[in-house]
Each structure stands twice: as structure tokens, then as C-alpha cells.
Amino acid sequence: MQHQGSYTDQFSLQGKIVFISGSTRGLGLEMASAMARCGAQVYINGRTSASTAQACAMLAEQGVSVQGIAGDMSVPQDIEQCIATLEDRHGRCDVLVNNMGIRIRQPLAAFDIEQMRQMLEVNLLGAMYLSQKAAALMHRQRWGRLITITSVAGEVARPGDAVYPVTKQGLTGMMRALAVEHAQAGITSNAIAPGTFATETNRQMIESEAGQTLARRNPTGRWGQPEEIAGLAVFLASDLSAYVNGQVIAVDGGLSVLF
């Protein structure tokens, strides 16, 4: 496909309908802000109406307009309601970012079956069902972008963190399956694998000796700032990424390639 106009225009998300799960803070909120600044109509998501409204208000204070749809993306009925809201308001969903996730750091021997089930339902099954429903809308206009947030931790194993990498590897498998299944309909599927980012969730670790050691190990010598993930998210959501499909792209300062 030959692109027309400037590359700046092709990075524009003007008029695109974007839904980002688990996006009331951290990396999800930064991606929402960036996509909205590029012209998209962005819907952020949190488990409660209060948290979602608070995040919308926070961005509004920065001059960024987004809307919120509350719902637990590990609950099928909530997923169905979110997609129904997008369909009722716009008849479509152009970009989905699967960003929800939880992490329980402990060895496999310490997990009970309910904790395992919880991590699988939140991190993997919810994303699978949400992607299924969003892709069905994307097929109507034969254009769409499925973006899944995995982790560099999905490619390695570390003591005391047994189930999280399993769920992230599962997301990679899902992303690749979607890439094959939907590409001929103009729908691409890719993943962003963040490394160590200075988010609210990681604040305690950042300030610890272990966190400082981790920063020194990174080729950049520091933790990533949340806004540093936003550019790749915008690119993958744009027209310019049309031939990028089925890929996991790490955003980690080079940590994953350091021997």
C-alpha cells in the first residue's frame, strides 16, 4: 500500500476509537494521553467508576480529553458491556490495547489454585475474550489494531515469580494467533514488552537497594519513564504500522539483550 501525504499525517490517530483496558494509571494512562493528543477518541478503563472518573479528571487538568468505561476486564459480562457501549456510541472499535494485569510474586509452591486461577483470568483469559469481542467490531470496517502489553519477564524465569511469566507467555501466544487469524481483514496484532518502568506500582522497589541495582544493570543506567512507552503505542495504532504484525517489541533500555 502506497501512503499518501506526510509521515506526520500518517502518525495521526484523528477520529480513531481507542479502548485501553486497565488504564487509570501508569503505562496505560500514558498511552491513553499520547493517543488522545494524536487525535484519537480514547476510552480508559478501571474497575470502578470512581477510579475511572478520577483518571479522566487528571488528564483533563493537563488539557487532554478522554472518556471512561468502568468494568472488571476479568469478568465476561463487564467485557461484553464495555464493547456494547463502544458499539452503541460509535459502531466500532479501531484500536484495542490489552493492558490489564496483576502480579503475585511468589514461588509456584506457595500458590493455591485460586491465586493461579485469578492471575490467569485477569492477565490472560480477560485479554483473550476482550480481543475476541473487539476484533469482531474491527472486521466490520476491515481495519483494526490489537496491541497487547506483555513484559520482558515473559521471556525469562526468576526465582520467586512463577505464574506471572506464564501468563505473559500466554499473551504472546494469543497475540500471534490473532495476527494470523485477522491480518487479511486489515487487523494487525502486536505486543509491547515493557521492562523496568518507574510507575506507581514499582515505587517501593525503585527506592530499594534491589531497585537501584536493577537500574545499574540496565545499559541506560536508569528506570524507564512511563511516557517513554507512548511513542511505540502510537506507532502501532497508526496507519504506518500496517505491515508490522505478530511481533513482540521490547521497551526496556536494552536490559533484555544484556548478557
Side-chain angles (χ1 to χ4, degrees):
M1 180 177 69
Q2 186 173 3
H3 291 289
Q4 303 295 323
S6 72
Y7 273 88
T8 302
D9 292 340
Q10 292 162 49
F11 273 116
S12 171
L13 302 181
Q14 191 68 41
K16 301 298 185 187
I17 306 301
V18 177
F19 180 75
I20 307 176
S21 67
S23 51
T24 57
R25 62 179 184 169
L27 301 183
L29 195 61
E30 287 293 339
M31 289 185 284
S33 176
M35 290 186 183
R37 291 175 190 272
C38 288
Q41 187 164 346
V42 177
Y43 287 84
I44 64 171
N45 160 254
R47 286 189 176 91
T48 68
S49 297
S51 65
T52 306
Q54 183 179 17
C56 289
M58 183 187 309
L59 289 185
E61 291 176 358
Q62 302 170 18
V64 180
S65 176
V66 301
Q67 298 183 62
I69 304 179
D72 185 337
M73 295 297 98
S74 66
V75 176
Q77 293 84 353
D78 285 11
I79 291 172
E80 292 163 5
Q81 184 57 53
C82 285
I83 294 298
T85 298
L86 294 174
E87 185 174 16
D88 290 344
R89 293 182 184 179
H90 306 285
R92 69 186 205 275
C93 174
D94 300 308
V95 180
L96 168 68
V97 181
N98 284 306
N99 184 62
M100 68 279 200
I102 59 172
R103 190 170 195 167
I104 302 173
R105 295 178 186 266
Q106 59 189 25
L108 185 60
F111 276 87
D112 60 42
I113 189 64
E114 290 305 319
Q115 289 174 316
M116 294 180 195
R117 183 176 288 114
Q118 181 188 21
M119 290 196 69
L120 286 169
E121 287 178 349
V122 174
N123 292 8
L124 181 55
L125 293 179
M128 291 177 68
Y129 193 50
L130 181 57
S131 296
Q132 179 195 62
K133 295 300 182 182
L137 287 185
M138 294 174 183
H139 269 266
R140 295 179 181 179
Q141 72 261 19
R142 299 190 66 79
W143 193 98
R145 299 288 184 264
L146 299 167
I147 303 170
T148 298
I149 308 303
T150 59
S151 172
V152 293
E155 302 298 322
V156 297
R158 295 183 64 82
D161 193 19
V163 177
Y164 184 77
V166 174
T167 65
K168 292 301 182 178
Q169 278 281 16
L171 284 174
T172 297
M174 177 201 77
M175 176 275 293
R176 289 174 175 156
L178 294 171
V180 172
E181 187 169 332
H182 299 298
Q184 291 192 9
I187 302 165
T188 63
S189 174
N190 293 285
I192 299 173
T196 50
F197 274 83
T199 62
E200 299 96 322
T201 304
N202 291 328
R203 182 175 292 115
Q204 186 174 357
M205 185 177 181
I206 294 167
E207 296 170 353
S208 69
E209 179 58 36
Q212 294 171 23
T213 299
L214 192 55
R216 289 193 293 269
R217 284 185 55 211
N218 194 297
T220 65
R222 62 179 178 86
W223 286 64
Q225 295 303 309
E227 60 269 20
E228 292 179 301
I229 204 169
L232 177 58
V234 169
F235 166 70
L236 290 177
S238 74
D239 286 331
L240 280 175
S241 66
Y243 206 56
V244 181
N245 192 35
Q247 303 304 307
V248 179
I249 306 173
V251 184
D252 66 350
L255 181 64
S256 59
V257 300
L258 180 66
F259 180 75

